[in-house]
Amino acid sequence: MLILPIRTPLLQPGDDLAAAIAASCEQKPGDIVAVSAKAAATCEGRLLPLASFGKGDEAFQKAVLAETERMHGTVLCNRAGVILTELRPCGLGRGTLLVANAGLDRSNAPEGFAVGWPEDPVASVRALRKALGTSIILTDSCCHVRRLGVTAMALAVSGLMPFRNQEGERDLFGRTLKVTQEAVADQLATAANLLMGNAAQSAPAALIRDHGIVMADFEGWVDGIDPKEDMFPICTPPCGSAPSVYPMHSKQDPSPRPS
Amino acid sequence: MLILPIRTPLLQPGDDLAAAIAASCEQKPGDIVAVSAKAAATCEGRLLPLASFGKGDEAFQKAVLAETERMHGTVLCNRAGVILTELRPCGLGRGTLLVANAGLDRSNAPEGFAVGWPEDPVASVRALRKALGTSIILTDSCCHVRRLGVTAMALAVSGLMPFRNQEGERDLFGRTLKVTQEAVADQLATAANLLMGNAAQSAPAALIRDHGIVMADFEGWVDGIDPKEDMFPICTPPCGSAPSVYPMHSKQDPSPRPS
């Protein structure tokens, strides 16, 4: 498997992201292009002006609350300088997304703005796939429980299955495997993120070649796990965290998606 | 970055893992070799005979408890068919490891045995680096909170820094970055795991080349995050899970490591 960073000029609202990517790399049939959700959101003009939410840190907190509500989510708590949010955006077929600050970040956004995910990540991957002719993975940086450091996840894909189903496959000793899903999209996003980075030298995309992954016509959010089925028991408020300035929803689960 | 699976014959207790890897790939200076912790444990003869713990599923549960105690850990709960354990093995400098079944698995072990991690993962990476002359990452498959499917993490490394410190680095707009650690080893382990797999066709190792990562003399466990500093609030028992047949430790944190 070959992974190459795709470096573009600094992206601005209104830029044609697909054209910038196409101009910066030579794609071959079967390639997968991993694209930063924040780069896509920037080009789509989805920079949130913090002044419209209030002043200082409170403005960012209010922007996080608004983004959480937009994605039918819940603020779980405020720990380690992060507002932990559980999101259930329209179109997500299964489970929830448990992420810092509803995906919003003040880094890598112009001063006075926050940048998060595209308004409709599935529309973003669809448009990128149509324009580039490659399969697309929309990635975002994230942290994992008890793990130090930033890694990444896949939000949405177009042109490949996010999971490899191992049902019926055998282990080295011929027995049927118990765990039956391999997180293909998350692993590809993580591999790409290592080359994309989070600092000034960062690349908004990466090209993945010779991956051996069968292409498919699937397009959508990458499913998660329902809180009740997850092996990790996350505390819902009150969770013993420091008192928070944010209003806490008291529901056990995020609100149901509108039907 | 180029990642290639390293396929070996089926590994058995007593096999020379480094020799099997060296015979199956051509290494170049600067390569990193990712090695499955379960492959290393198998070659080191660390297959746990389940009959010595009891009968049926209870034997596996008791083996998990014994492995948890060996790594100064705590059983947190039993959800989704998994015993969630929080481990603090000797030598881990910071944080804990929150993993299923204390790292034990009945898949990819001979019938009647479970396979987990090497007794001393740091000794394993040291020996592999000495024998192969490359930097080593010891990997294990894992799951992440609210994410569907199996991915991977790095347990220990030799010959590289597990994190890239971004302190003082700037974002695209010239501001100092707030998040200052990039999970290099975890991301490399995850990228490699995609090619190593978890089924019969699996490769016990992968070669990582043209990665741009600066080599270093560091050798050790990959640090985690202390539960009190983690943005994810994990419930300690009782956590609302189904009643369990396992004795639950009632401590908030894993027991302190012996000094």
Side-chain angles (χ1 to χ4, degrees):
Chain A
M1 182 167 70
L2 181 69
I3 310 177
L4 301 168
I6 301 174
R7 297 187 198 287
T8 66
L10 184 64
L11 296 164
Q12 310 273 4
D15 282 353
D16 184 336
L17 178 56
I21 289 171
S24 306
C25 70
E26 197 178 325
Q27 302 136 67
K28 290 185 183 172
D31 285 349
I32 299 171
V33 176
V35 179
S36 151
K38 268 135 189 163
T42 298
C43 292
E44 292 174 18
R46 243 199 129 238
L47 296 175
L48 305 185
L50 291 172
S52 69
F53 293 95
K55 284 183 182 169
D57 279 350
E58 200 185 300
F60 182 70
Q61 294 157 11
K62 285 185 175 170
V64 169
L65 287 180
E67 192 70 350
T68 303
E69 294 235 332
R70 185 181 75 80
M71 289 192 270
H72 314 290
T74 310
V75 169
L76 289 191
C77 64
N78 172 23
R79 277 167 70 103
V82 160
I83 307 174
L84 183 64
T85 56
E86 182 148 32
L87 311 175
R88 198 174 286 196
C90 284
L92 178 63
R94 178 179 169 190
T96 65
L97 291 153
L98 195 65
V99 297
N101 301 325
L104 289 187
D105 201 346
R106 276 172 290 192
S107 292
N108 296 314
E111 189 65 36
F113 290 84
V115 62
W117 300 340
E119 186 151 340
D120 180 352
V122 180
S124 303
V125 293
R126 182 182 304 132
L128 286 164
R129 182 181 174 200
K130 192 175 173 191
L132 289 170
T134 63
S135 297
I136 303 289
I137 301 178
L138 195 71
T139 72
D140 196 22
S141 56
C142 68
C143 292
H144 292 309
V145 59
R146 299 292 188 266
R147 301 303 290 164
L148 184 61
V150 177
T151 172
M153 64 194 289
L155 294 179
V157 302
S158 180
L160 74 157
M161 295 303 293
F163 304 97
R164 199 167 74 86
N165 195 330
Q166 299 182 310
E167 206 174 313
E169 288 188 35
R170 306 274 168 168
D171 73 3
L172 289 172
F173 294 86
R175 282 160 314 186
T176 304
L177 279 174
K178 199 177 165 194
V179 173
T180 56
Q181 300 272 14
E182 198 171 349
V184 170
D186 269 355
Q187 291 183 94
L188 287 171
T190 305
N193 188 66
L194 189 65
L195 300 186
M196 291 159 68
N198 307 293
Q201 81 291 2
S202 67
L207 192 143
I208 305 168
R209 183 169 291 168
D210 299 335
H211 41 69
I213 292 158
V214 180
M215 300 290 93
D217 247 342
F218 178 84
E219 185 170 86
W221 283 90
V222 176
D223 274 350
I225 285 187
D226 189 84
K228 290 188 182 68
E229 294 167 5
D230 193 0
M231 65 180 257
F232 296 101
I234 295 290
C235 299
T236 45
C239 64
S241 61
S244 165
V245 298
Y246 324 114
M248 294 286 201
H249 299 224
S250 61
K251 285 167 290 192
Q252 168 84 18
D253 292 326
S255 54
R257 274 158 288 181
S259 55
Chain B
M1 182 167 69
L2 180 69
I3 310 177
L4 301 168
I6 301 174
R7 296 187 199 286
T8 66
L10 184 64
L11 296 164
Q12 310 274 3
D15 281 353
D16 183 336
L17 178 56
I21 290 171
S24 306
C25 71
E26 198 178 325
Q27 303 136 65
K28 290 185 183 173
D31 285 349
I32 299 170
V33 176
V35 179
S36 150
K38 268 134 189 164
T42 297
C43 292
E44 293 174 17
R46 242 198 129 240
L47 297 174
L48 304 186
L50 291 172
S52 70
F53 293 94
K55 285 183 182 168
D57 279 350
E58 200 185 301
F60 182 70
Q61 294 157 12
K62 286 185 175 169
V64 169
L65 287 181
E67 193 71 348
T68 303
E69 295 236 331
R70 185 181 75 80
M71 289 192 270
H72 313 290
T74 310
V75 169
L76 289 191
C77 64
N78 172 24
R79 277 167 70 103
V82 160
I83 307 174
L84 183 63
T85 56
E86 182 148 31
L87 311 175
R88 198 174 288 196
C90 285
L92 178 62
R94 179 180 168 188
T96 65
L97 291 152
L98 195 65
V99 297
N101 301 325
L104 289 186
D105 201 346
R106 276 172 291 193
S107 292
N108 296 314
E111 189 66 35
F113 290 85
V115 62
W117 300 341
E119 186 152 340
D120 180 352
V122 180
S124 302
V125 293
R126 182 182 304 132
L128 286 164
R129 182 181 174 201
K130 192 175 172 189
L132 289 170
T134 63
S135 297
I136 304 290
I137 301 178
L138 195 72
T139 72
D140 196 23
S141 56
C142 69
C143 292
H144 292 309
V145 59
R146 298 293 188 267
R147 301 303 290 164
L148 185 60
V150 177
T151 172
M153 65 195 288
L155 294 180
V157 302
S158 180
L160 73 157
M161 295 302 294
F163 304 98
R164 200 168 73 87
N165 195 330
Q166 298 182 310
E167 206 175 314
E169 287 188 34
R170 306 273 168 170
D171 73 3
L172 290 172
F173 293 86
R175 281 160 315 185
T176 303
L177 279 174
K178 199 176 165 195
V179 173
T180 56
Q181 300 272 14
E182 197 171 350
V184 170
D186 268 355
Q187 290 183 93
L188 287 171
T190 305
N193 188 67
L194 189 65
L195 301 186
M196 290 159 68
N198 307 294
Q201 80 291 2
S202 66
L207 192 143
I208 305 168
R209 183 169 292 167
D210 299 335
H211 42 69
I213 292 157
V214 180
M215 299 291 93
D217 247 341
F218 178 83
E219 186 170 86
W221 282 90
V222 176
D223 274 350
I225 285 187
D226 189 85
K228 290 189 181 68
E229 294 167 5
D230 193 0
M231 64 180 256
F232 296 101
I234 295 290
C235 300
T236 45
C239 64
S241 61
S244 164
V245 298
Y246 324 115
M248 295 286 201
H249 298 223
S250 61
K251 285 167 290 191
Q252 169 84 18
D253 292 326
S255 53
R257 274 158 288 182
S259 55

